Amino acid sequence: MELIQQLVNGISLGSIYALIALGYTMVYGIVKLINFAHGDVFMVGAFIGFYSITVLHVGFFPALLISMAVCAIFGVLIERIAYKPLRNATRIAALITAIGVSLFIEYGTIYVRGAQPEAYPSGLVPLKSIEILGVKISGQSILILGTSIVLMILLQFIVHKTKIGKAMRAVSHDMDAAKLMGINVNNTISATFAIGSALAGAAGVIFGMYYTKIEPLMGIIPGLKAFVAAVLGGIGIIPGAMTGGLVLGVIEALVSAAGYSLWRDGVAFIVLILILIFRPAGLFGKNVREKV
C-alpha cells in the first residue's frame, strides 16, 4: 500500500515536471535551442498565480488561466528580444544568451519584490480525499493530475489538429521548406514559445499549490529536472517529454520512500548521465548508434 501511495505522489510530481519539460522539448524541436530561461518562466507563473489569488482574490482556475496568459506573452517577449536576433548565430551563443536571460529574470524578480519567499493560501480547492484499495489519494493530487492531463491533451490537439500545430510540425521538420511553402516561420516560433511558456506558467501555479512555498530562485532545480525529463523521453518529442516527466517523478518518489530523500535531487542527474551513456536519443528517440 505504501508503494502505491508513493506512486501516486510520484505521478503528481511527475506531471508538474512533464508540463515544464514540454516547453523545453517544443522549443528544441523547432529552433534546436535549449531554453534555460524556461525554469524561470515557471517561477514567474507561480508568482503571477500567487498575486492573482491574494491581490485579485480569484480562485485556483482563474489564477491558472491568468498565469498561463501572462507567461505566454512573457515567453514571446523573451523570444523576440533575446533569441530572434540570434536565429542564425552559433548554438553556443544562443545557449549563453539563454543562461543570461535566466539570471536576468531571477535577479530582476529579486530586485523588484525582494528575495523573501511567499506561501500559497491553503484550501484553494476544497476537494475531499478519496480512498481506493486502501490508498488515500488527496484531492490536491487528483486536481494536479487532472489539470495536467487536460493540458497535455489540449497540447496534443493543438499540435495535430490545428493550423498553427501543422505549421509547427512543418517548421520542425524543415524550416527552409516551410518558408518556401508560405509558412510564417517567425510567428510559428513565437507561437511555440507562447504555448510552452503557458504550460510552464500552469506548472508554476500547480507547484505553488502542491508545495505552498515559492521564491525567486525556485525555478532552477525544477527547470533542470524538467530538462532531464525532456532528455529522458527524447528531446524534441512531445510524448517523450510527458513520459519522461512522469517517470522521473515516480523515480524520485520511490527514492524518497526508500529512505534516501536527501538523494532525490541527485537521482535526476544520475538518470541523465545514464541516459546519455546508454541511450542518448532518449526513450522515444531513434538511437543513432542503432543505425550504424
Side-chain angles (χ1 to χ4, degrees):
M1 290 305 169
E2 178 65 26
L3 179 68
I4 299 169
Q5 186 75 61
Q6 291 302 331
L7 284 175
V8 170
N9 295 343
I11 290 167
S12 296
L13 177 62
S15 61
I16 296 172
Y17 291 156
L19 286 176
I20 311 171
L22 286 166
Y24 275 115
T25 223
M26 286 168 69
V27 168
Y28 185 84
I30 286 194
V31 285
K32 300 292 179 279
L33 164 75
I34 302 293
N35 178 19
F36 278 118
H38 195 62
D40 301 296
V41 174
F42 156 80
M43 174 271 290
V44 168
F47 275 102
I48 298 288
F50 172 78
Y51 289 122
S52 298
I53 291 162
T54 55
V55 177
L56 301 178
H57 304 293
V58 299
F60 170 74
F61 288 108
L64 189 79
L65 294 173
I66 292 167
S67 180
M68 287 175 74
V70 172
C71 285
I73 296 164
F74 189 45
V76 172
L77 286 174
I78 291 170
E79 190 271 327
R80 287 284 159 113
I81 295 165
Y83 301 141
K84 191 181 174 186
L86 298 171
R87 193 77 34 91
N88 298 316
T90 58
R91 292 269 188 95
I92 195 75
L95 186 68
I96 291 166
T97 303
I99 295 167
V101 171
S102 170
L103 292 167
F104 176 77
I105 296 169
E106 286 164 17
Y107 290 97
T109 306
I110 289 172
Y111 179 77
V112 170
R113 62 160 300 281
Q116 73 278 11
E118 298 283 7
Y120 259 66
S122 57
L124 282 174
V125 184
L127 283 173
K128 290 186 171 69
S129 298
I130 60 167
E131 200 165 305
I132 301 171
L133 302 171
V135 177
K136 198 175 181 186
I137 303 170
S138 70
Q140 209 176 38
S141 294
I142 296 163
L143 182 70
I144 288 168
L145 198 55
T147 307
S148 302
I149 288 168
V150 167
L151 289 171
M152 288 178 199
I153 291 168
L154 188 62
L155 175 66
Q156 287 288 58
F157 175 79
I158 291 168
V159 169
H160 292 284
K161 301 291 182 188
T162 65
K163 198 173 173 183
I164 191 68
K166 284 177 185 169
M168 282 159 63
R169 284 186 289 144
V171 172
S172 170
H173 191 68
D174 189 329
M175 193 180 286
D176 294 328
K179 273 183 194 166
L180 293 172
M181 295 301 289
I183 292 169
N184 188 325
V185 169
N186 285 331
N187 285 359
T188 305
I189 291 169
S190 292
T192 307
F193 269 85
I195 294 166
S197 300
L199 292 172
V205 178
I206 292 168
F207 184 94
M209 191 185 80
Y210 193 60
Y211 284 104
T212 310
K213 183 188 155 196
I214 59 167
E215 43 96 18
L217 300 180
M218 66 179 270
I220 299 171
I221 294 295
L224 286 172
K225 285 182 182 174
F227 169 64
V228 172
V231 173
L232 174 61
I235 192 118
I237 301 164
I238 288 174
M242 296 176 187
T243 309
L246 293 171
V247 168
L248 193 62
V250 168
I251 290 170
E252 276 194 26
L254 293 177
V255 167
S256 296
Y260 299 102
S261 56
L262 292 174
W263 280 88
R264 57 180 288 176
D265 289 345
V267 164
F269 302 105
I270 292 168
V271 168
L272 176 64
I273 292 163
L274 292 174
I275 279 286
L276 291 175
I277 292 170
F278 296 108
R279 193 166 175 83
L283 299 175
F284 284 65
K286 290 183 176 68
N287 213 332
V288 177
R289 288 181 188 173
E290 289 171 4
K291 291 180 185 174
V292 178

